[in-house]
Amino acid sequence: MATADDSGDDEVEPDENLRSFGETVKASRKRAGRTQEQLAELIGYSVQYVGSVEQGRRHPSQKFIKRTESALDTFWVIDIAARQLSRRRGLASWFRRWADLEDGAVILNTYECRSVPGLLQPEAYARALVDAVLPPPSPEEVEERIAARLERQQLLFRTPYTVFSFIIDEAVILRQTGGPEVTRQLVDHLLECGKLPHVDLQIMPLISPEHAGLGGAFQLLETQDHEWMGYSEGQQSGRVLNDPKDLSLLHQRYAKLRIQALNPADSMGLLMRMRGSL
């Protein structure tokens, strides 16, 4: 008889990745000629748990994945689908579509006024940001978020190179999130990233009488099909933008920010002076 072992995450709003995994489980179950009730009996989970996973409303536990793979003998199809799912598990649901677009970008432009962009965060700084989130995440959630953030950073080193432009408000660094030692590591990391030939890193000075980014942080990217997309994020929400009018506005603002910010060489000089004062 199936147990009530529904350990793992509670039900969540479905997203593309969870739905895709759920469809894989459902197709594998049907190929094996099993009903939800029969699969639940075989793997020791409730029918409700199996149904929630198939509907993309629950993150499957590792035990569920292993037992289902074994019971349905899918030749590792479920295991492979689960690995793809875990790649995005540490990312906010509203950010995952943009993360997928980032993965195939040829150009990525980022303006940030709240924190250093995730692609440029050393682990200590990333942990300081995650630790500051309210309500506090569980230790497992902390590790998932850190792992997802560090994995995304492989985009900086993948060939063929994506061309990156980052504009960061000086105030973000002066805030010293995590304390002086974390900030020293952060500045050292930014200096290293700024040396990469395909990365332009610019600092918007703290005193900036003209500032085109007062509307908030945003990103722009060019896909491999040479289409432009934009992204804007707020509290508990994010929007991928593809309307030509929205994109035109963001392109205008980013172009102006590039002029208003310190050039890359002067930005490196400012970072070195900041490092010396820490």
Side-chain angles (χ1 to χ4, degrees):
M1 183 153 182
T3 71
D5 183 3
D6 287 1
S7 58
D9 297 332
D10 293 332
E11 290 201 353
V12 298
E13 286 301 311
D15 64 43
E16 183 178 346
N17 297 284
L18 280 175
R19 277 195 292 262
S20 178
F21 179 81
E23 288 168 0
T24 299
V25 172
K26 183 177 181 179
S28 299
R29 173 177 60 76
K30 288 189 171 182
R31 181 194 65 82
R34 301 288 187 178
T35 65
Q36 286 187 350
E37 289 77 8
Q38 289 171 329
L39 176 59
E41 185 74 24
L42 283 171
I43 65 176
Y45 276 78
S46 69
V47 176
Q48 290 77 17
Y49 192 105
V50 173
S52 292
V53 170
E54 290 190 355
Q55 293 165 20
R57 289 191 168 274
R58 186 185 292 273
H59 287 283
S61 67
Q62 286 301 310
K63 184 163 62 175
F64 176 92
I65 293 165
K66 291 178 181 179
R67 289 183 178 182
T68 303
E69 172 65 48
S70 177
L72 299 180
D73 193 19
T74 67
F75 300 96
W76 307 111
V77 168
I78 287 178
D79 184 66
I80 292 169
R83 274 183 273 158
Q84 179 64 25
L85 176 65
S86 66
R87 280 199 334 120
R88 298 303 190 204
R89 188 169 176 177
L91 301 177
S93 58
W94 58 85
F95 183 74
R96 288 172 187 160
R97 185 184 172 202
W98 184 253
D100 288 336
L101 290 169
E102 270 187 345
D103 204 41
V106 296
I107 296 175
L108 181 62
N109 299 333
T110 301
Y111 165 64
E112 257 299 351
C113 56
R114 303 161 302 182
S115 60
V116 170
L119 292 174
L120 298 179
Q121 295 175 7
E123 183 173 346
Y125 179 81
R127 286 189 180 278
L129 291 177
V130 172
D131 288 342
V133 171
L134 293 174
S138 68
E140 181 183 16
E141 289 172 330
V142 170
E143 295 308 316
E144 287 173 351
R145 294 176 190 181
I146 297 300
R149 200 161 301 182
L150 296 179
E151 182 176 349
R152 281 180 58 230
Q153 294 177 8
Q154 296 307 307
L155 293 175
L156 289 172
F157 308 101
R158 186 184 61 188
T159 55
Y161 290 124
T162 299
V163 177
F164 294 95
S165 168
F166 298 97
I167 301 173
I168 306 170
D169 273 10
E170 182 182 358
V172 166
I173 303 167
L174 292 175
R175 189 175 298 131
Q176 294 196 21
T177 299
E181 178 56 34
V182 171
T183 305
R184 281 191 284 270
Q185 294 180 38
L186 169 64
V187 175
D188 287 343
H189 187 68
L190 292 176
L191 287 168
E192 287 302 312
C193 290
K195 294 177 183 178
L196 297 172
H198 56 291
V199 175
D200 281 339
L201 176 56
Q202 295 179 254
I203 303 297
M204 176 63 76
L206 183 63
I207 299 175
S208 305
E210 295 183 355
H211 195 316
L214 297 179
F218 64 92
Q219 293 178 273
L220 286 160
L221 66 74
E222 183 182 359
T223 70
Q224 293 178 354
D225 294 326
H226 307 295
E227 296 177 343
W228 283 91
M229 307 286 283
Y231 181 73
S232 176
E233 187 174 271
Q235 295 277 345
Q236 298 298 107
S237 65
R239 292 177 59 217
V240 174
L241 307 169
N242 56 17
D243 183 275
K245 291 183 179 179
D246 291 333
L247 296 176
S248 175
L249 182 149
L250 294 183
H251 276 295
Q252 291 177 55
R253 292 180 181 176
Y254 202 81
K256 198 68 170 178
L257 283 165
R258 275 185 143 162
I259 296 170
Q260 295 168 340
L262 298 176
N263 65 42
D266 289 343
S267 295
M268 293 298 101
L270 175 59
L271 286 171
M272 286 188 283
R273 292 193 297 275
M274 294 172 74
R275 178 64 174 84
S277 67
L278 289 168

